[in-house]
Structure formats: C-alpha cells, structure tokens
Amino acid sequence: MSGLITRRNFLRSSAVAGSGLILAGCNQFDFLADKAGPGRQIMERANVLTYKVQRALIGDQTLAREYAASEIRQGQRPNGSVDPTTPEYTFLKMQNFASYRLTIKGMVEREVSFSLDQLRNMPARSQITRHDCVEGWSCIAKWTGTQLGPLLDMAGVKPTARYAVYHCFDNIQRTLSGDILYYTSSDLIDAYHPQTILSYGLNDQVLPVANGAPVRLRIERALGYKQPKYLHTIELVDDLSTFGKGRGGYWEDTGYDWYGGI
Ligand SMILES: Nc1nc2c(c(=O)[nH]1)N[C@H]1C(S)=C(S)[C@@H](COP(=O)(O)O)O[C@H]1N2
Ligand SMILES: [Mo]
C-alpha cells in the first residue's frame, strides 16, 4: 500500500505546485486523477495535491497525538445526525442493537460480519484524541474499540482494492427523491492505521446514540467529517465514482477535501 505514494511522486507534486503548472495536465497525479477525464475541476486537482502532499508529509504510520485523561474537559459534542430516524436504525435502537452487524464486503476474499458482542470481545484499544470539526470546534475524548486492520485481514482485502467506503445508517439529508445516507471513505493506509478503531465506547461509557451508537469509526488523523457514526458496512473498492456524487463522501460530495487530514 505504501507503494502508492512514493517519494518521487511527492517531489513531482511539489515541483508542479511550485511552478504554478498545476492546470497543465495531470498525469503526475496518478493516484486519483487517473479516474478522471480531461474535464476535471480545479477543486478536484487541488484535493489530489492536498492528498499527496499531506500523505507524504504525515507518512503512513505516524500516530495522531494522544492526550492525558485530565485533558478531557467536556463531553464529546454531538454534531450532524444525532438520532437517526430510518426504520432500520429505529428498529435496531429499540432492541438495544442486539441484531446489529458490521459487514465488510466488496473487493475481499470473503464477506464477513460481526455482532456487537463479537466486536467487544476482540482486543480493545483506548485512545484519548482531539476531534476537530471544520465548523471550528474541537473536543478531546477517550475512544474505545477494536482496530479495523485485523478485521480487514479476516476478510482478505484483494490487492486491487484502493479505498474503504464507510456506509452509515443515518439519513443526513431528506430530498424529494429520497433520503441521502451518510457515507465517507479513506485509503487503505488510514484503514489499516493502528489508531483506526471501530469505536463502541466513549469516555468510559457505552457509545451514546448521539455520537454514533452502536459503532463509529475513528480515523484519528482526519477531520470530524471523516469519523463515520452509525457505521454498518465497510466496502472495499477501487473506484469512488459510483457512490453519491462520486467524491467519496457526503460532505466530500459538497466540496470538502477528500483526504481531510488535520
Ligand atoms: N453517520 C454520520 N457520521 C458523521 C456525521 C453525521 O452526520 N453522520 N457527522 C460528521 C461530523 S461533521 C462530525 S464533526 C462528527 C461529529 O461526531 P460527534 O457527534 O461524535 O461529535 O461526526 C462525523 N460523522
Ligand atoms: Mo464536523
């Protein structure tokens, strides 16, 4: 996976940015831009550049900063969907998520799914990290869950997979043509990152509905909108263009940066 971003690519990207030639064809952006034709928007190119530069600067395995318990000053402020109303979620919530399953599917050797009890009985990791929302607020909170990486290995991610798409239960937006369900995505470096956990605990309590019960993903080096709540399916893909408006997430579809690094 780390082969995707080589030092050479990074240097090429920087050189391009530096010389102001970013609009003059984009063969050098081989990671995302190869999915697109010549009509790509400037914004998308900027996203790719941001991704490459941020990824190169941050490295594959660098950990997000972890804090001391004394630095938790308030509860995790609920934001976005706080109480999903889809029938599926309402039903699960009514029975305290007894029949909840997290599914991993798509470009995998075998589709797998896990109950909440199974997830809770896997090796747990707790981390106290800072959540940064683009709306301009931050919260330090303790997240407990199990690492995503080993679960992906159980499914057997195919070598052709490039992204993990995170599908959520909540209808973040209702339109005349139906509900829009929240989703986001990451590359496999972030999916396998040691601090990327399927979190079911928040500040030593069961994860509340307002913060994404029963399971929400933490991708600690990314902004708030890359922390999917009410997660039910992780789909391994090689192309993001078939989901939503094709930019890899609900907020990403409205123009937010795909990588969303902090
Ligand atoms: N399913 C889902 N995930 C989501 C959202 C959402 O509305 N629905 N909002 C995102 C945004 S913008 C933020 S800041 C955080 C808020 O998480 P919190 O409610 O635990 O603070 O969740 C992110 N993940
Ligand atoms: Mo956010």
Side-chain angles (χ1 to χ4, degrees):
M1 271 160 293
S2 53
L4 285 174
I5 312 303
T6 62
R7 184 170 160 74
R8 212 168 107 239
N9 282 342
F10 171 54
L11 292 176
R12 275 190 298 180
S13 302
S14 330
V16 168
S19 62
L21 286 176
I22 185 166
L23 300 180
C26 54
N27 290 342
Q28 52 273 69
F29 303 121
D30 54 1
F31 183 58
L32 291 169
D34 60 358
K35 298 291 179 197
R40 274 184 81 106
Q41 300 301 302
I42 293 167
M43 181 64 196
E44 291 177 51
R45 290 195 184 129
N47 277 350
V48 175
L49 183 65
T50 305
Y51 170 75
K52 287 234 168 186
V53 172
Q54 290 198 29
R55 179 49 91 206
L57 290 176
I58 203 169
D60 290 0
Q61 296 293 305
T62 316
L63 296 180
R65 177 169 169 199
E66 295 193 14
Y67 294 78
S70 59
E71 293 173 281
I72 302 173
R73 297 197 180 85
Q74 73 285 302
Q76 173 72 18
R77 169 181 165 168
N79 196 43
S81 298
V82 292
D83 194 10
T85 56
T86 52
E88 230 182 337
Y89 187 83
T90 307
F91 174 75
L92 281 176
K93 188 172 77 169
M94 242 168 51
Q95 29 122 344
N96 207 17
F97 306 106
S99 62
Y100 169 82
R101 295 197 79 85
L102 176 85
T103 301
I104 301 180
K105 68 175 196 183
M107 300 177 89
V108 292
E109 299 299 337
R110 64 206 76 84
E111 184 171 316
V112 291
S113 80
F114 306 94
S115 70
L116 204 45
D117 277 349
Q118 283 174 315
L119 294 174
R120 286 175 176 150
N121 281 307
M122 289 176 185
R125 181 191 159 89
S126 287
Q127 55 207 30
I128 301 174
T129 52
R130 198 184 70 200
H131 174 111
D132 294 317
C133 174
V134 289
E135 289 168 7
W137 53 269
S138 302
C139 281
I140 292 174
K142 178 176 178 181
W143 301 97
T144 301
T146 195
Q147 287 176 324
L148 176 56
L151 273 63
L152 293 175
D153 284 341
M154 284 186 220
V157 174
K158 292 191 173 163
T160 42
R162 299 171 85 180
Y163 313 99
V165 179
Y166 307 107
H167 298 284
C168 306
F169 281 117
D170 56 311
N171 42 356
I172 178 83
Q173 202 185 323
R174 286 171 224 178
T175 71
L176 289 177
S177 44
D179 284 351
I180 299 180
L181 301 175
Y182 198 93
Y183 79 106
T184 186
S185 56
S186 77
D187 63 16
L188 298 186
I189 297 171
D190 269 341
Y192 276 101
H193 187 270
Q195 287 170 320
T196 296
I197 61 172
L198 293 156
S199 179
Y200 46 74
L202 171 58
N203 292 333
D204 293 319
Q205 307 290 317
V206 171
L207 182 69
V209 165
N211 300 103
V215 171
R216 76 98 55 85
L217 194 69
R218 297 293 308 168
I219 300 179
E220 297 294 357
R221 300 181 301 177
L223 288 163
Y225 62 90
K226 305 295 286 189
Q227 320 292 328
K229 313 199 275 189
Y230 318 110
L231 179 64
H232 62 81
T233 300
I234 300 177
E235 188 175 355
L236 281 298
V237 301
D238 65 354
D239 178 13
L240 297 172
S241 68
T242 57
F243 303 96
K245 293 189 177 139
R247 293 169 179 225
Y250 170 73
W251 284 114
E252 293 86 335
D253 282 338
T254 72
Y256 285 26
D257 175 53
W258 174 73
Y259 182 57
I262 295 175

